[in-house]
């Protein structure tokens, strides 16, 4: 089947069982702006120049949908909230006026989301030809209301995204009704449509089977199915049929959330507020710190290490599952994990890796593991959301002030350290990653929650240090994911995100080495923020990129931190040869000084099998030794 017929097919299928749907297509301009050119295409080539090639295909699909009986078609144009220059804006005008004749007789919704529109963009969008409706995210788009007040075209519909599609919180219906009534005054009753702020792909599906969450907490939540009820209730209320019982239940839930003692922890609030506007840095600069650490650690040049997790075997998963289900005693569980850790430690010693890890066998997920031990977090049974492709995650819900009742990792880390003379890395997830991979409370700014988590992780870092762990890795796999779409908002985010990270380790001794790991490799635009995290060693994903990307770290050399660009790809079962890895290290040495280079895979090994991990790490260590020998000769 020709790919684009699928959307027509799906429309017909729904219609055949009596459901009239609004087919949703990626709008033509965003489609091109968000595409990546194939390998080998010249950098100077503008994908937008293909617009006149794809518009005829759009016309064809629209015609087919129309023939199949569609009344409305939605074009998602998420790029409209980004910083667009006048040439790009012109492409929107051009594309929709080209489509205009085929759109005739249809209602066309152009949907925007995740932020407000720059005012020039707003002007362009509201003037688009052939478009009969425009959708706005009124949750994240804080300035959109002002734009609409400044003028909205008489003949168009306004889709008001007042229900947050990106979280799991019940809407404040009274506040939304106010907003809607204000909008009604501007666009008129018959032109106002109540909507979610974006697709419901980003929230959990239905609360119906969440029988582990208590009643109070549940009353504060709304998953996708409940959000639809909210949309419906608001639409009815706007048209004068307010469901008083529904609204007052909502009001009571909002009030209980505000006043519930489980949400507020005064001491935590005070400590987190005190952090704002201040700076937290280690006293000594990174160069000198690394020197002090090296005296203690006496590592070879090009030290080898891994990112943390070792293969999560079926037996391990079963073990954790049974322990959770109370099918085994704590003692039995601890012994089994202990055994796993000693196997992992032994293996790394046999492989002759320099800085060891305990392998994270006690963790199912790098965020959930910490969330389960922190207060202020709740967990769903079925709150799955798609992360990418066919992968799904079950983000924790942060509902209250975050604190750490007791040490979370010290037991396992010290146990692992006791099994070896080599340095054992303590392994933590950083505050920004915990934040970005959770459903975050919406009753206080994200940065306050981030600072609270940072303080909890800081306690853990200091406990690990006290327990004799001298290298601590604080993963910030998701730091970049939280970067706002608009340039004007990025510096603010990066500032508090990086500050949160620094808070976690600002108090450790000079001789304690802080690592961080990030799951991406293109640092061009945020390199200064990465340096400002002031970690001693940064490991990054680099195996699928070329060394050119590393050159941004060259400038950072003035700063002097260690860097471990992944030397092989853990996302593939392929086993890299020694030659291949040494070749990569050599290329990296063309860009980075040997003094600062670390040798490691590009992410954790949990998705791999031992039959892949053992030979791959064997080759990695052999490659590091080979280059060390070559460097020794050339000196
Ligand atoms: N320490 C984690 C692990 O190795 C890091 C995972 C990640 O970067 N996503 O599994
Ligand atoms: Zn990673």
């Amino acid at each position: 089947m020709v790919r684009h017929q699928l959307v027509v097919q799906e429309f017909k299928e729904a219609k055949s069982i009596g459901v009239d749907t609004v087919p949703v297509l990626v709008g033509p301009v965003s489609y091109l702006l968000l595409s990546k050119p194939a390998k080998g295409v010249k950098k100077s080539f503008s994908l937008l120049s293909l617009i006149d090639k794809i518009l005829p295909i759009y016309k064809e699909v629209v015609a087919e949908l129309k023939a199949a009986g569609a009344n409305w078609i939605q074009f998602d144009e998420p790029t409209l909230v980004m910083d667009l220059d006048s040439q790009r804006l012109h492409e929107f005008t051009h594309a929709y006026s080209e489509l205009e004749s085929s759109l005739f007789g249809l209602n066309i919704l152009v949907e925007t989301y995740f932020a407000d529109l720059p005012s020039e963009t707003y002007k362009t969008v509201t003037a688009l030809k052939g478009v009969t409706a425009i959708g706005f995210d009124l949750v994240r788009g804080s300035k959109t209301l002002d734009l609409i007040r400044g003028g909205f075209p008489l003949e168009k519909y306004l889709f008001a995204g007042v229900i947050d599609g990106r979280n799991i919180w019940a809407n404040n219906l009274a506040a939304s009704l106010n907003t809607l009534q204000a909008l009604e005054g501007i666009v008129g009753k018959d032109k106002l449509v109540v909507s979610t702020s974006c697709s419901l792909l980003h929230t959990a599906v239905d609360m119906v089977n969440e029988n582990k969450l208590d009643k109070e907490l549940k009353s504060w939540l709304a998953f996708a199915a409940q959000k639809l009820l909210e949309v419906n209730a608001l639409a009815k209320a706007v048209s004068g049929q307010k469901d008083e019982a529904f609204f007052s239940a909502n009001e009571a839930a909002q009030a209980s959330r505000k006043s519930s003692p489980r949400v507020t922890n005064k001491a935590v609030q005070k400590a987190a507020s005190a952090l704002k506007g201040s700076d937290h840095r280690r006293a000594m600069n990174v160069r000198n710190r690394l020197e002090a650490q090296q005296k203690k650690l006496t590592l070879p040049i090009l030290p080898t290490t891994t990112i943390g997790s070792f293969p999560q075997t079926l037996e391990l998963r079963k073990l954790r599952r049974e322990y959770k289900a109370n099918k085994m005693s704590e003692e039995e569980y601890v012994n089994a994990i202990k055994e796993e850790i000693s196997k992992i430690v032994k293996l790394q010693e046999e492989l002759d890796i320099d800085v060891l890890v305990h392998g994270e066998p006690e963790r199912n997920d790098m965020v959930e593991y910490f969330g389960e031990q922190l207060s202020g977090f709740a967990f769903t049974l079925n709150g799955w959301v798609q992360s990418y492709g066919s992968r799904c995650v079950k983000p924790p819900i942060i509902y209250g002030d975050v604190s750490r009742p007791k040490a979370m990792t010290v037991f396992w880390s010290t146990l692992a350290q006791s099994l070896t003379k080599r340095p054992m890395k303590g392994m933590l997830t950083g505050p920004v990653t915990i934040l970005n991979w959770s459903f975050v409370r919406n009753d206080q700014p994200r940065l306050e929650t981030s600072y609270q988590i940072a303080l909890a992780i800081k306690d853990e870092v200091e406990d690990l240090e006290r327990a004799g762990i001298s290298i601590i890795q604080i993963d910030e796999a998701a730091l970049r994911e939280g970067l706002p779409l608009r340039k004007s908002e990025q510096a603010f985010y990066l500032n508090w995100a990086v500050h949160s990270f620094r808070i976690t380790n600002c108090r450790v001794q000079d001789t304690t080495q802080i690592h961080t790991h990030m799951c991406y490799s293109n640092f061009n635009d945020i390199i200064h923020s990465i340096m400002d995290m002031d970690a001693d060693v940064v490991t990054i994903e680099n195996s699928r990129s070329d060394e050119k990307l590393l050159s941004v770290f060259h400038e950072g050399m003035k700063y002097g931190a260690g860097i471990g660009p992944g030397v092989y790809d853990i996302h593939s079962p392929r086993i890299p040869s020694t030659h291949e890895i040494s070749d990569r290290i050599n290329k990296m040495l063309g860009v980075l000084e040997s003094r600062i280079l670390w040798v490691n895979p590009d992410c954790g090994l949990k998705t791999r099998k031992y039959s892949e991990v053992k030979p791959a790490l064997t080759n990695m260590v052999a490659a590091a030794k080979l280059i060390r020998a070559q460097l020794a000769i050339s000196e």
Side-chain angles (χ1 to χ4, degrees):
M1 193 189 299
V2 179
R3 193 76 195 152
H4 72 253
Q5 285 173 353
L6 208 60
V7 65
V8 183
Q9 199 62 41
E10 285 169 347
F11 174 79
K12 285 184 179 163
E13 191 182 334
K15 201 168 171 68
S16 73
I17 54 165
V19 185
D20 250 322
T21 56
V22 177
V24 182
L25 306 173
V26 180
V29 185
S30 294
Y31 179 75
L32 291 177
L33 284 177
L34 298 177
S35 294
K36 281 204 184 104
K39 259 206 167 134
V41 173
K42 272 203 203 113
K43 266 223 161 108
S44 57
F45 180 77
S46 157
L47 284 172
L48 267 182
S49 66
L50 299 174
I51 190 81
D52 290 320
K53 292 227 163 71
I54 68 165
L55 287 175
I57 304 168
Y58 271 89
K59 282 185 192 166
E60 222 174 283
V61 181
V62 167
E64 283 179 41
L65 285 170
K66 198 164 153 182
N71 290 318
W72 279 88
I73 297 181
Q74 174 177 330
F75 287 109
D76 279 351
E77 292 283 11
T79 54
L80 284 168
V81 304
M82 297 172 78
D83 306 286
L84 298 171
D85 55 27
S86 56
Q87 194 204 336
R88 293 207 165 100
L89 280 181
H90 173 76
E91 292 300 343
F92 282 93
T93 308
H94 167 68
Y96 285 89
S97 56
E98 280 296 305
L99 288 177
E100 189 187 0
S101 58
S102 55
L103 303 181
F104 188 73
L106 282 168
N107 278 308
I108 297 297
L109 165 64
V110 166
E111 186 61 66
T112 70
Y113 40 84
F114 295 166
D116 45 34
L117 276 57
S119 57
E120 272 311 301
T121 307
Y122 181 83
K123 273 187 217 151
T124 305
V125 175
T126 44
L128 287 178
K129 290 201 179 130
V131 171
T132 44
I134 306 165
F136 299 105
D137 181 336
L138 295 176
V139 178
R140 298 218 168 193
S142 51
K143 296 190 204 97
T144 306
L145 272 181
D146 291 338
L147 290 169
I148 298 169
R149 279 197 192 99
F152 189 80
L154 268 182
E155 71 289 356
K156 290 196 193 337
Y157 290 87
L158 175 82
F159 278 55
V162 287
I163 306 280
D164 196 343
R166 283 181 75 166
N167 70 17
I168 40 58
W169 299 109
N171 188 259
N172 182 339
L173 292 179
S176 295
L177 187 55
N178 265 340
T179 306
L180 291 168
Q181 280 161 346
L183 288 170
E184 194 188 4
I186 304 168
V187 304
K189 202 182 221 77
D190 58 336
K191 288 286 188 286
L192 182 65
V193 180
V194 182
S195 167
T196 57
S197 64
C198 62
S199 145
L200 294 170
L201 180 85
H202 314 280
T203 186
V205 180
D206 196 340
M207 276 166 62
V208 70
N209 290 322
E210 292 299 337
N211 38 33
K212 281 259 167 71
L213 293 173
D214 62 272
K215 223 173 136 210
E216 184 188 40
L217 188 62
K218 261 177 111 169
S219 76
W220 303 342
L221 304 177
F223 294 0
Q226 290 69 43
K227 286 175 191 288
L228 297 182
L229 299 179
E230 293 179 338
V231 168
N232 210 10
L234 283 169
K236 279 200 166 147
V238 173
S239 65
Q241 298 162 270
K242 188 172 171 192
D243 180 341
E244 294 295 346
F246 194 81
F247 271 72
S248 47
N250 175 268
E251 200 179 320
Q254 299 292 315
S256 100
R257 192 176 160 206
K258 237 188 207 141
S259 61
S260 172
R262 59 203 277 222
V263 171
T264 313
N265 178 332
K266 281 263 150 53
V268 169
Q269 295 230 337
K270 209 171 144 203
S273 301
L275 299 169
K276 276 187 275 180
S278 55
D279 197 16
H280 293 79
R281 280 172 204 280
R282 299 172 72 178
M284 188 182 269
N285 73 36
V286 66
R287 244 173 222 279
N288 296 343
R289 287 196 317 252
L290 279 170
E291 244 169 61
Q293 291 155 13
Q294 176 60 5
K295 270 192 198 130
K296 182 170 168 191
L297 297 167
T298 61
L299 297 170
I301 58 161
L302 308 181
T304 50
T305 192
T306 62
I307 304 305
S309 55
F310 265 67
Q312 292 266 345
T313 56
L314 283 177
E315 299 84 76
L316 257 183
R317 287 180 207 279
K318 188 164 160 240
L319 183 72
R320 282 198 310 261
R321 213 172 34 239
E322 293 193 344
Y323 175 58
K324 250 194 161 163
N326 287 326
K327 286 192 190 148
M328 88 173 42
S329 73
E330 166 135 24
E331 194 187 343
E332 278 173 303
Y333 174 73
V334 168
N335 281 335
I337 296 284
K338 233 184 223 175
E339 205 174 299
E340 182 74 16
I341 292 178
S342 44
K343 268 201 306 216
I344 293 167
V345 171
K346 210 157 144 222
L347 172 63
Q348 294 172 92
E349 288 193 330
E350 277 162 18
L351 293 168
D352 204 12
I353 291 177
D354 302 304
V355 172
L356 309 197
V357 296
H358 77 290
E360 304 177 25
E362 77 288 15
R363 305 182 189 179
N364 43 350
D365 174 275
M366 65 188 286
V367 170
E368 190 168 77
Y369 181 74
F370 290 91
E372 278 176 342
Q373 301 185 75
L374 293 166
S375 36
F377 282 72
F379 294 86
T380 65
L381 289 176
N382 299 299
W384 295 96
V385 291
Q386 185 187 27
S387 85
Y388 62 90
S390 61
R391 290 191 76 123
C392 290
V393 290
K394 204 152 60 65
I397 297 171
I398 307 179
Y399 66 85
D401 291 331
V402 176
S403 63
R404 188 199 68 146
K406 57 180 202 299
M408 304 181 282
T409 64
V410 175
F411 176 77
W412 296 119
S413 284
T414 49
L415 184 142
Q417 181 66 82
S418 75
L419 301 171
T420 180
K421 292 210 162 55
R422 299 179 189 223
M424 173 63 60
K425 282 196 273 192
M427 200 56 67
L428 304 175
T429 303
V432 188
T433 298
I434 293 180
L435 185 88
N436 283 341
W437 284 348
S438 299
F439 285 121
V440 181
R441 54 194 289 192
N442 59 355
D443 56 353
Q444 69 181 19
R446 285 173 84 82
L447 84 157
E448 303 217 2
T449 308
S450 181
Y451 285 150
Q452 293 183 358
I453 307 170
L455 287 175
I457 301 295
K458 176 176 190 277
D459 289 345
E460 188 70 17
V461 166
E462 290 167 11
D463 277 348
L464 281 170
E465 183 183 56
R466 257 193 297 278
I469 303 294
S470 42
I471 305 187
I472 301 168
Q473 178 173 312
I474 307 164
D475 290 327
E476 281 296 16
L479 188 129
R480 199 204 170 102
E481 264 180 49
L483 197 67
L485 294 168
R486 287 269 271 291
K487 288 208 177 70
S488 56
E489 291 160 23
Q490 291 177 351
F492 180 68
Y493 165 78
L494 287 169
N495 191 31
W496 62 253
V498 167
H499 187 191
S500 300
F501 178 83
R502 282 201 317 265
I503 286 165
T504 63
N505 58 85
C506 61
R507 279 287 177 78
V508 299
Q509 293 165 31
D510 302 332
T511 49
T512 297
Q513 189 166 80
I514 299 293
H515 289 216
T516 189
H517 166 72
M518 285 176 251
C519 293
Y520 40 90
S521 56
N522 191 346
F523 287 95
N524 280 321
D525 49 348
I526 58 165
I527 186 68
H528 293 291
S529 302
I530 302 301
M531 296 304 165
D532 204 31
M533 288 168 78
D534 197 27
D536 297 306
V537 178
V538 187
T539 62
I540 59 168
E541 183 175 311
N542 192 254
S543 64
R544 282 171 296 177
S545 331
D546 62 21
E547 286 64 35
K548 263 191 236 131
L549 279 177
L550 291 177
S551 56
V552 299
F553 279 93
H554 199 72
E555 194 204 340
M557 290 315 89
K558 291 177 234 149
Y559 147 101
I563 167 162
V567 295
Y568 80 89
D569 180 9
I570 61 91
H571 304 89
S572 141
R574 205 176 69 83
I575 296 154
S577 69
T578 304
H579 176 75
E580 185 185 325
I581 300 178
S582 59
D583 200 46
R584 270 217 82 102
I585 301 175
N586 264 326
K587 286 198 175 121
M588 288 172 185
L589 286 172
V591 193
L592 302 169
E593 275 175 71
S594 58
R595 182 178 63 76
I596 58 148
L597 191 62
W598 282 65
V599 176
N600 47 263
D602 74 352
C603 198
L605 304 168
K606 69 171 164 227
T607 55
R608 298 267 63 89
K609 299 194 178 84
Y610 273 104
S611 57
E612 295 150 4
V613 163
K614 280 185 198 169
L617 291 180
T618 304
N619 296 347
M620 183 187 88
V621 174
K625 288 183 178 170
L626 190 80
I627 310 274
R628 277 176 206 158
Q630 287 168 2
L631 288 172
I633 293 169
S634 64
E635 249 171 31

